[in-house]
Amino acid sequence: MDEPTITCMSKVNYIAGKSLWQDALQRLLRNRAAMFALVFLLFMAAACFLLPLFSFIPNPNLTDLDHIAVGSSADHLLGTDHLGRDMLARVLYGGRISLLVGVAATSVAFVLGLVYGLISGYVGGRTDAVMMRFVDVLFALPFIVLVIVFSLSIEEPCRELTERVVDATGWSREAVAPILGLMPLFLAIGALGWLTLARIVRTQTLVIREQEYVQAARSLGLGHFSILFRHIAPNLLGTVIIYTTLAVPGIMLTESTLSFIGLGVKAPNSSWGTLIKEGADRMEVAPELLIYPSLFFCLTLLALNFLGDGLRDALDPKDVRD
Amino acid sequence: MMRFLAKRVMQGVVVLFVLETVTFFLVRVLPGNPFMGDRKLPDEVLAQLNSLYGLDASSFVQYARYWKAILVEGDFGPSLVREGVQVSEIIGSAFPVSLALGSVAMLLAVVLGIPAGMLAAHYRNRWPDALFMLLAVAGICIPSFVIAPVLGITLGAHVPGLSVAGWDNPLCIVLPALALGAVNAAYVARLTRGGMVETLSSDFIRTARAKGAGTGRILWLHALRSGLLPAVSYLGPAFAALITGSFVVETCFQVPGMGLHFVNATTDRDYFLIQGLVLCYGVLIVAANLIVDVVLAWMNPRLRA
């Protein structure tokens, strides 16, 4: 071995290697808007899911007809609505449903889009063409028609599932029904939100499939499944995370729009969308019924957008903001 | 170019055919039927209604009949819920409303969004950029069902002449068009900024600067042509969606457009009306994408494959 070369190398001021993920994390931590958004979102989620566990947040469905649409006071921090229900409690409980549907529907879209895009791109050829034309057709269908058709047709199966779960586990119907009652909604929104993701994943898969390391894996005799999930999927993750984060606000917007037009979350559940609808109906007499839920909702969407933009800048620094 | 066009038109026709087929069978597997009004009809009446509209035949016979009626007679069938009204009449009266509203909204989106995006790109990472992009994110995040009522109580209540509901004078178009245009202006601004930032950092812009071209000349004459590509690809389908109406904005301002029919027809199971609406929407989307492709090829010769 050539000794002097090694001594020479050791004198070079050596910079510790950084993985792509460490690099991205550092960039994200430096992005003030994104970090602020992240803190805000954590705070909002904590408020919606944890605060109602304390007794100073009253039952959101408790009506108090002596105090209808009063302004904020010590008893009711954000005042009461047209039935005397505590506004803060309603906004927090509404946030639970909105955030829950947002996350659940996004997860559905994430899994569907990833698997569909991976298969389409990996198999290629005629299968790919057919699968992508199917996506084209779904894209050309008016979104609202698809959501309504889909949620109406899975309403009944979901109700049956609720009964089965109640029978099988012995949990009370009151505990299970509100969550499972939301299933048609987030399944429908999620099942339609995957289209763009599937296209993105497919395009990336087509590129990665031809890389040398995938060929190497194949020549080593790895099965399709391991190649897909060990070698291709991890390399798509950056793109997929960026897109998924940016899709959450859109999906929450869809939920609230559906709830606003009376097709989404149904009473006694309420989401930010239904609260905004109730507020909009009474805005001439009590504008704060519109203002509070809108404020919570819009700020959350803003934060999600900033976080998504931050993630994109962090994971894909070459890409310019669109 | 002609071969490219012919190929794309053929593809569009296939997409439309599949789209209509999917819709046809999709609405028929929906639980419920068009005649499930407030009261339950006796079975005999239901059977008679079904045979009157030909719904008693098998799905495939109905499907064949449906295409025959459209292709041979240009007949989209009757509305199953609104007695004696043809689907073509419903679309014929609602489409012009949505077309007018959507066109004004699109005009607003272009007039506000493109200059905002260009300014943001020109002042990249300085305060005009931050301001316009904050406005754009706000425009994307604030849903139209919040913008609409807020516009109603602010502008609508205080500016004389503006009406907050109805469709009986030309000024009625202002508020709904603002509500619809805002979100699209926001998207256009973001896309324009992205495209312009990329273009402004390319070599030919540096050459133009070196040769002494002024800022305005560079922005409008050199950079806009390729910087606008992302916004143009967005604008095509967005325009098609806009002129087929928005349920939320139409409900908020009581505009008799197409958006209402999309939702009502689906919840009412008005089979023929859904099919007609979807076909109408599909034709517009396919046409919009085709036009976008042609415009993009004209703007960027590299895309002429």
Side-chain angles (χ1 to χ4, degrees):
Chain A
M1 268 286 136
D2 210 353
E3 269 317 311
T5 326
I6 294 170
T7 15
C8 194
M9 282 293 285
S10 66
K11 276 181 193 156
V12 173
N13 200 355
Y14 190 70
I15 301 165
K18 258 192 297 186
S19 80
L20 176 75
W21 293 102
Q22 284 169 326
D23 208 31
L25 184 67
Q26 234 169 41
R27 263 197 296 267
L28 186 65
L29 288 174
R30 268 203 304 270
N31 187 333
R32 233 175 292 160
M35 288 325 287
F36 186 73
L38 182 64
V39 172
F40 177 83
L41 285 173
L42 290 175
F43 177 76
M44 182 62 88
C48 289
F49 285 93
L50 300 180
L51 268 189
L53 300 178
F54 296 101
S55 58
F56 62 86
I57 299 291
N59 181 339
N61 294 322
L62 188 70
T63 56
D64 176 3
L65 297 177
D66 293 333
H67 299 91
I68 286 177
V70 294
S72 53
S73 64
D75 283 344
H76 305 288
L77 275 178
L78 296 183
T80 61
D81 73 354
H82 58 287
L83 293 175
R85 293 173 292 194
D86 184 71
M87 209 48 206
L88 180 62
R90 285 181 65 69
V91 170
L92 291 180
Y93 275 90
R96 269 188 180 187
I97 303 279
S98 281
L99 292 172
L100 208 63
V101 173
V103 170
T106 309
S107 317
V108 174
F110 174 83
V111 173
L112 274 175
L114 188 64
V115 172
Y116 195 93
L118 272 175
I119 294 175
S120 182
Y122 186 72
V123 177
R126 204 162 284 170
T127 319
D128 177 39
V130 171
M131 285 174 88
M132 282 300 121
R133 290 300 85 72
F134 179 65
V135 170
D136 289 349
V137 168
L138 286 187
F139 252 118
L141 266 171
F143 187 71
I144 194 95
V145 172
L146 256 184
V147 176
I148 298 173
V149 167
F150 202 82
S151 64
L152 286 177
S153 37
I154 57 179
E155 230 168 42
E156 194 51 42
C158 281
R159 208 170 295 137
E160 275 169 31
L161 185 74
T162 313
E163 295 305 315
R164 284 232 193 104
V165 169
V166 169
D167 287 344
T169 58
W171 293 337
S172 75
R173 185 163 286 118
E174 287 71 37
V176 177
I179 305 285
L180 287 178
L182 290 172
M183 265 178 58
L185 184 62
F186 68 68
L187 280 180
I189 300 172
L192 302 171
W194 59 275
L195 298 172
T196 317
L197 184 63
R199 278 188 176 170
I200 295 170
V201 170
R202 170 190 169 264
T203 320
Q204 297 264 323
T205 311
L206 282 176
V207 176
I208 295 176
R209 188 179 67 167
E210 303 305 326
Q211 304 277 314
E212 278 89 353
Y213 65 85
V214 174
Q215 286 173 14
R218 198 171 297 140
S219 65
L220 284 169
L222 241 63
H224 292 305
F225 191 82
S226 345
I227 291 179
L228 267 178
F229 288 96
R230 287 287 294 280
H231 294 270
I232 295 183
N235 287 297
L236 294 167
L237 221 53
T239 320
V240 172
I241 289 176
I242 295 167
Y243 174 75
T244 310
T245 324
L246 286 172
V248 181
I251 280 178
M252 287 182 66
L253 211 53
T254 309
E255 178 273 315
S256 63
T257 308
L258 286 175
S259 300
F260 183 83
I261 64 185
L263 292 163
V265 176
K266 303 206 168 64
N269 278 336
S270 58
S271 76
W272 282 333
T274 56
L275 291 178
I276 293 172
K277 167 73 182 158
E278 285 173 13
D281 289 344
R282 295 171 185 83
M283 63 184 179
E284 282 95 354
V285 279
E288 59 284 359
L289 296 187
L290 173 65
I291 293 167
Y292 289 131
S294 306
L295 207 62
F296 274 70
F297 184 56
C298 294
L299 286 177
T300 305
L301 291 191
L302 265 175
L304 279 166
N305 259 304
F306 279 121
L307 184 63
D309 282 348
L311 271 176
R312 173 170 47 188
D313 293 344
L315 284 166
D316 193 1
K318 277 178 311 207
D319 199 29
V320 285
R321 220 150 34 104
D322 65 38
Chain B
M1 198 63 197
M2 282 317 289
R3 266 185 63 189
F4 165 77
L5 266 182
K7 198 179 146 202
R8 288 302 310 265
V9 170
M10 278 309 296
Q11 280 179 350
V13 171
V14 173
V15 166
L16 284 178
F17 178 76
V18 177
L19 178 71
E20 198 61 3
T21 308
V22 169
T23 312
F24 185 93
F25 291 102
L26 209 60
V27 293
R28 276 170 181 73
V29 297
L30 258 183
N33 65 67
F35 312 114
M36 46 169 199
D38 297 328
R39 60 207 156 81
K40 198 177 170 335
L41 294 172
D43 287 344
E44 304 87 65
V45 179
L46 207 59
Q48 188 134 28
L49 278 169
N50 276 332
S51 81
L52 176 66
Y53 290 111
L55 298 176
D56 50 352
S58 79
S59 291
F60 291 97
V61 173
Q62 287 186 47
Y63 179 69
R65 272 194 210 141
Y66 181 68
W67 276 117
K68 194 182 153 229
I70 289 187
L71 296 176
V72 179
E73 295 146 40
D75 177 15
F76 290 88
S79 165
L80 297 172
V81 177
R82 290 164 63 185
E83 237 170 285
V85 183
Q86 294 292 310
V87 168
S88 48
E89 290 167 13
I90 296 180
I91 295 181
S93 73
F95 182 64
V97 175
S98 290
L99 179 65
L101 181 54
S103 305
V104 176
M106 179 62 26
L107 196 70
L108 272 174
V110 168
V111 169
L112 296 176
I114 292 180
M118 287 172 72
L119 276 175
H122 181 60
Y123 293 104
R124 192 184 176 190
N125 295 338
R126 309 226 302 269
W127 69 263
D129 183 17
L131 177 71
F132 282 127
M133 285 306 111
L134 188 69
L135 280 176
V137 180
I140 290 169
C141 288
I142 303 178
S144 54
F145 53 83
V146 173
I147 294 184
V150 168
L151 277 177
I153 39 176
T154 51
L155 285 181
H158 297 109
V159 178
L162 285 186
S163 72
V164 288
W167 192 256
D168 37 25
N169 69 68
L171 279 176
C172 283
I173 210 168
V174 176
L175 292 181
L178 270 176
L180 269 178
V183 60
N184 284 286
Y187 275 112
V188 169
R190 274 171 73 115
L191 291 169
T192 307
R193 180 192 177 278
M196 289 297 277
V197 163
E198 205 169 326
T199 311
L200 285 175
S201 58
S202 54
D203 291 341
F204 74 94
I205 296 293
R206 201 175 46 194
T207 310
R209 277 217 183 93
K211 289 170 90 173
T215 310
R217 200 181 154 81
I218 285 179
L219 275 181
W220 289 97
L221 235 72
H222 295 270
L224 192 61
R225 188 160 159 169
S226 67
L228 214 51
L229 292 176
V232 169
S233 348
Y234 167 80
L235 282 171
F239 185 57
L242 269 180
I243 60 176
T244 44
S246 145
F247 181 82
V248 172
V249 171
E250 284 170 14
T251 319
C252 288
F253 294 104
Q254 291 168 27
V255 176
M258 295 243 291
L260 298 169
H261 292 303
F262 275 100
V263 173
N264 293 341
T266 318
T267 44
D268 293 346
R269 276 60 155 187
D270 197 338
Y271 299 149
F272 290 117
L273 184 52
I274 305 174
Q275 286 156 212
L277 288 168
V278 168
L279 194 61
C280 178
Y281 179 81
V283 167
L284 288 168
I285 284 280
V286 167
N289 279 319
L290 187 67
I291 293 168
V292 163
D293 283 343
V294 172
V295 172
L296 288 181
W298 171 71
M299 285 169 76
N300 184 354
R302 276 186 222 148
L303 292 174
R304 280 173 216 162

